[in-house]
Structures are given as C-alpha cells and as structure tokens.
Amino acid sequence: MGIKLLLDKAHVEGIRSYEVYRREGGYRSVEKALKELGPEAIVEEVKKSGLRGRGGAGFPTGMKWSFIAKPEGVPRHLVCNADESEPGTFKDRYLMEFLPHLLIEGLIVSSYALGSNATYIYIRGEYAWIPDILEEAIAEAKANGWLGKNILGTGFDLEIYVQRGAGAYICGEETALIESLEGKRGNPRIKPPFPAVKGLWDRPTVVNNVETLAAVVPIINMGGEEYAKIGVGKSTGTKLISACGNINKPGVFEIDMTISVEEFIYSDEYCGGIRNGKRLKACIPGGSSVPILPANKLFKTAKGETRYMNYESLADGGFASGTMMGSGGFIVLDEDQSVVKHTYTLARFYRHESCGQCSPCREGTGWMEKILKRILEGKGKMSDIDLLWDIQRKIEGNTICPLGDAAAWPVAAAIRHFRDEFEWYVNNPELCLTSNYGLAHYADPLEVVTA
Amino acid sequence: MSEQQLFKVTIDNITIEVAPGTTILEAARKIGGEVAPPAMCYYSKLKGSGGKCRTCLVEVSKGSEKDPRPMPKLVASCRTTVMDGMEVKNITSERVVDARAGVVELLLINHPLDCPVCDQAGECHLQDLSYEHGNAGTRYEFQRRTFKKHDLGQYIQLHMTRCILCYRCVFTADQLTNKREHGVLDRGDHAQIATFIEKNLDNDFIGNVIDVCPVGALTDKTFRFKNRVWFLKPVNAHCDCPKCSGKVTLWYRGEEVFRVTARKDQWGEVEDWICNECRFDKKKTSDWVIEGPREISRQSVISLNHYVGMQKPKETFEAVMDGRKPRMFMDIHDVSEVNRPDVDLSLIDGPAHSDDFNKTNKKD
Ligand SMILES: Cc1cc2nc3c(=O)[nH]c(=O)nc-3n(C[C@H](O)[C@H](O)[C@H](O)COP(=O)(O)O)c2cc1C
Ligand code: SF4
Ligand code: SF4
Ligand code: FES
C-alpha cells in the first residue's frame, strides 16, 4: 500500500461532517499554523516541502506564494481553482465531494499565509451538487470558530465564498477565472502583469488548484522537510491521479511518485490492467492536453530506463519521446481504440472552448477540427496530415494563453507517434465509416507488455 | 523635472533610446518604416487594447543588459515593454515572418478577401498585411462563417463576415460612450460582435467605432458604397463643436463632401475622437472652416500614387484556389445599379463620376 496523505481518511464513515473530520484530527494544521508558525513560517514550510502546483503546470507553490506583492493597505486574495474542466481529470471533484473539510482547512492555512481575508472557491458549473457540500462545510467550520472574525483569537479574519462558473473550460485558466469572478466574460488577460501583482479587482492574488491547497494540510502537520522526503527529486509528496479509459479499475488514486507507469496500469492496487484482456495501445497521462504516448514509449524512456509516474520521468525525452504529468488525468487506450478518432474528439473540445480572443487559437482550432473530421469520414488527403502539422505549429506558442498549446499538443503528438494510422484512414476511405480503427489494422504491432 | 533614465533598445539592428514603460511596438514606431510591426488590434488611444490578433509578434533575441537570455517564445510587441539593452528582431527574424504569415492565413479563414466590393478597400490594414505577408492561395477548403444581417441603427452597418474580432470597437464603445451597448457574444470561431438584443448604436461618440475598425466590418451608413476612397480628396477642416474637438478630415469629390472622419495618423489611428454630429450630420462645406489639403502618410492607397509601368491583369482566381473552380454567387450587374453593362468605364476620360452613370454612355 502506497502512502496516503490526502485520501487517508476518505473512507471513514461520515468524514464529510465536521464532527467526524475533527475527531479524526482535522483542523490541527490551522491551530499549528495560526498559533505556532505565523505567515512567513508557513510559506517557508511550503517552500521546503517542494510542493508543485497540481493544476497542470507544476510550478513550485512556495515560490509562487513568495511572489505575491504586499503593497501597504491593499487587500490580497487567495482563489481556489476548482474549475477542473480538463477532459480526463476528476480528482478535485473527488476531494471536494468526500473531504470538503480538508479543502477548507487548507484554505484557512493558505489564506493566513498569504494575508487573504476574503478567499474564493471558483467551481465549475457542471459540478452542480458540490457547492452545497462545500457551503455546508464552510458553515460548520464557521460555527466552530475556524472562520469569521478573530480566528482562534489571533486577530485573523477570513470568509470563504463559493462561486459557480457557467461551465467554460477557459475559466480554469487563472486570469480568465479572475475575469469571470469579477463578473466579466471569461477571457484570459495578457500577462504581465501577473495575478501576484494585479489579480482579482487589481489586487495581489494567488490562484491555486484544489489539490495543491489540500496538500498544505499534511505539509503543515508533518513539516515541509518530512513531506519532501516522500516522492523523488522535484516530484515531492503524493499526487492524485484520476485514471479512466479501457482499464479494469477507473478511479482516483493517491500515489507517491516513485511507482512506475507500468505498475500503475497493471497492478491491482491501481488501474488493475487493461479491460477484457486487451493490449495497451496508448496513454495520455496528464489530462487531455498533454501529448499522447504509444505503449512502447510509455514504460521506458528514450534511454531505455523505466518511466515513473512523476514530473521529470514523464517529461523525459521532451515531446519527441516524452509527455507531461499535467493535471494527472490518466487516460488509457486499448488496442481497439482509434487515435484519429480520439484526436478529433479532443480537437472538437478545444475548438468549442477557445475563448476567441486571439486569431491563431480561434481560427486554428476550428480548422484542425474540420480537417480531422474530414479524414475520419474517409474524405481526407495525404496532404491533410502535413497541413494539420503545420496548423498546430502555427498555433503553439503564439497565443495569449496556454489553451492554444493545449489544443496543438494532442494533434502534434498523435501525428508524431501515429502517423501511419492517419495514413490508413486516408488510404482506406471505404473502411473509415464502418470500422473502428484499432490495432487490427496496425502495421507495426506494439510491444506486448505483461505485468 | 529630473532626468529620466532612458532604455536602449535595438530593433532590426537599429538602436533607439526610449522611456521605461514604452512597448516594443511603440519604440519600433519611433524608428518607423518596416521596423514597425503591423498591428491589427492594438490602438494606442484605447486603454487595454492589443495582444489579441498576434500580428505584431516579434523575437526578443536578447532580453536586456542585465539578463541577456533570449525569450523562448515570440512576444506580442504591442504588450511587451522594453528593457535596457533589449534586442528585437522583426523583419530580420525568419521565425517572425513565418509566424506572421501563419496569422495572416488564419485571419483570412473567416475574412473574405472581397476587397473589390468592400467599403474599406484602400484603407484596410488587413489588405496591407495579406499583401505583405500572405500567400497567394489558401489551404482552407471548408465553408466560411456566415451571419444573419444585423442592423446596428441609423448610422452604422455591421458586416460580421468581415470582422476579425480585434475588440477595438468594443474598447471604443466602452471607453468613449456613456452606455456600452455592444460587445462580443459566443466563444471561439463562433464569436461575434453584436449588440444586446438588437439595440441601436446611437451614443454620441459611437461613430468612432467605424474609424477604429481595421477592416470593413463597421461602415458609415451615410457614406458606404457611395464612393471609393481613392476618388476622394481629403481636406482638413474644423468647426466649433461643443462636444468634441471638431477637428476632422472632409473627403471631397468635386464640390461634394462624401464623408467626414477623424484625422488619422500614419499608423491609421485617430488623432482626436469626433462626435456623431460632426461625422454624420455635417456634410456641407458651409458647416466647416477649411484648413487645407490633408497629407495621407500611409495606411491608405491615396498615399501611394507611385505606379511604375503598367501590368496587364491576368486571371488569378483558379491559381489562387489551388486549381479549384470559383463558384460565382452573383453577377455584379444583377445587383448593382452602378456597374451598368452599357457603361464602358474605359471609354470615360478620367475617373468615373456619378454623372457618368446618369448619362447613357453607349459603346460606339
Ligand atoms: C485553458 C486552461 C484551463 C485550465 N484549467 C484549470 C483547471 O480546471 N483547474 C486548475 O486547477 N488549473 C487549471 N489551469 C491552470 C491554471 O491556469 C493555473 O495554472 C492553476 O490553477 C494554478 O494552480 P497550481 O499552481 O496550484 O497548479 C488551466 C489552464 C489553462 C491554460
Ligand atoms: S489561446 Fe485561445 S483561449 Fe487563450 S486567449 Fe487565445 S483564443 Fe482565448
Ligand atoms: S467589428 Fe471591426 S473593430 Fe469591431 S472587433 Fe470586428 S474587426 Fe474589430
Ligand atoms: S497588435 Fe499586438 S497582438 Fe494585435
């Protein structure tokens, strides 16, 4: 059994209620943080922990916190990013649904560290039932003196507000989220200025992912140094992985980042292997925007070393032979799956979710979707594959926000690793509509992997 | 005033000193010429504009004296401020030229190059841009966006098919009028400029959206299609206006004032905003004090006039469409009163005038 820091109490009966959560040791970190540590020491602990943001980019949280501007007399804000709209990612939902008090606890400590007296949880509209759970937890916390005025007699005041989004992926991007919180259209802002200097209502703001903020609780409880001992290299602590696709046991798993990708897929503790005894074809390990990897590049790095479930190992080899940890949305494709179809589905998603501000993303995502659709329908041309490559290249890196990259990478990786499959669609127009392209048509059989 | 320390910045090997806080684009404009990146969405007079169209991307090959590392990605020059010792490549960077060509191709996906019938032709920034950076053909073979006609009221017509979503008109309406009534609806490539439930645009200063629109998406109903700009003579004039500065350019053809606009600088940006009354209602010479001819320095065909030799036009349609045959949606003679088949323009001495179309000018 791997170590569990976030989900260790998830299966305790009634843990959603304050009484049980408190009985199980909840809110200890608040006492320690407010009474013993003080804001600067909390930031120090988080820095020592090596915690990296769990929202996708993996930026060190302690460093991000230390960037927050502290102009005299200007309020600061903490915003919890609970928008979680990346396809394949559903770990934050699990955390909020089953352990709402863990998030509230993390929010109190983090707000205190950052000097935020008004903290917001921006939650995606489709999670319709979760705001009620969070609000109930907030009310309980307040009734027990963990929120409101003069918390624990320290003079620190804090209110936490839950704000529902209207259901737009782009509102997960931190500056678009801020715009949306301000009541405007969710268009990303042009950076700089960064939110740490000018964020919500032009005030210094930190935006952090749900899991990141929840992880602050064990960091304070056990101390940053102890936390950093879990994991490996710059991938410290534990990570929640939401696994889905053609596996036997989809779900949310807490891992310490020392297990191999192969073990994660095949061991019974985690995904439990590929469903129906099929073979593994490919995997998108970090949420839909990170590059897809074929099975033969997934378990071993380009140097032939074992690939592990952590930031560095997954990224090893760059985009040529590696991918990214991203948000931990682990999507597994078996031999019957068509990469072209999946790529089309993703392209459709990104096209629909582009905010439309910048020309490469607005027009490029739509164009890619149409070409992919044409290929799928058996009307594609060989030149379409190069055209797709060219379009994604013109989007990547040239847009206001990273949605452009998120739309470009899946297309690039699919062509890079599965070009022959695209060619198959072009060469077999009559079969496109009737067959689900999978390994059966695959010229170069993949390495067969056994646990 | 204390001496302000200036920042040295080198753009395409030309060095200039500018005040801290200056953007790369503004610094490049100070140098002028080809060094200045094109800008479709940035407008120096509008707060918060820029950053969206991505036509002004440049390569920063040296960050600053303190931190000489190059920037990994191309940056939007209109929203990136200079650092001391920064080195920037605009047209000298292959990456920039390539990316810009990409942006142009993408912009033209949902913008018809129907310059021959567009009211903005001759003053269009996208036309310049596609001429300078675009390819002869397009690789896009799908249906383009179409829109229901949307009436914006008595003064302004919207052609949504031509809009490139630069947001300039949205900023203008937001910042110049007391009541903002239009903005962007929907997302991605379905995004469109629209008013809130078919409202009119009739605020005192709303006419300025026509001047800021870089393409022919917003046009002046009192002028549109009445004439082509290159037949008009621009003249500076002013009047005593209680609402605005009253400083305008009148566009004459013969004795007739066809159009009134704000005065634009060489970057195509207005010098002073003008009110609706000056723009739409004062079309008589007697309404104005004439100052003299206006020199147009760029951003309009009338600044050119340096034709060298003569080139016979050749049929380019099929070549441009990659061998695909054009589909004709209409015959111009069916819909236009102006282009009457019995009027042969080549027989008219000098540019055609409205009178020419009233006479029957039969070929003989
Ligand atoms: C298009 C887009 C969507 C995003 N969606 C989310 C999201 O749903 N949840 C999230 O935590 N971060 C999301 N992010 C990342 C955030 O911008 C931001 O980096 C993150 O919330 C920072 O938190 P962290 O430092 O704790 O990782 C998204 C980014 C982009 C570009
Ligand atoms: S990259 Fe896409 S989502 Fe991001 S600002 Fe540009 S158009 Fe909007
Ligand atoms: S109508 Fe014109 S000014 Fe307005 S967004 Fe479109 S192109 Fe820009
Ligand atoms: S002018 Fe800079 S991005 Fe449009």
Side-chain angles (χ1 to χ4, degrees), chain A residues 53-59 61 64 81 83-86 92 169-170 172-174 207-210 212 401-403:
Chain A
R54 304 299 197 220
F59 191 80
T61 305
K64 183 159 160 179
N81 189 345
D83 197 57
E84 192 165 68
S85 313
E86 182 88 346
D92 295 342
Y169 171 63
I170 191 61
E173 195 281 335
E174 55 182 5
V207 180
N208 271 136
N209 174 259
V210 170
T212 312
C401 83
L403 189 138

Side-chain angles (χ1 to χ4, degrees), chain B residues 287-304:
Chain B
D287 293 331
W288 299 98
V289 180
I290 308 293
E291 293 170 17
R294 173 158 190 87
E295 201 185 309
I296 305 287
S297 37
R298 215 186 127 208
Q299 300 291 4
S300 169
V301 273
I302 41 183
S303 70
L304 289 175

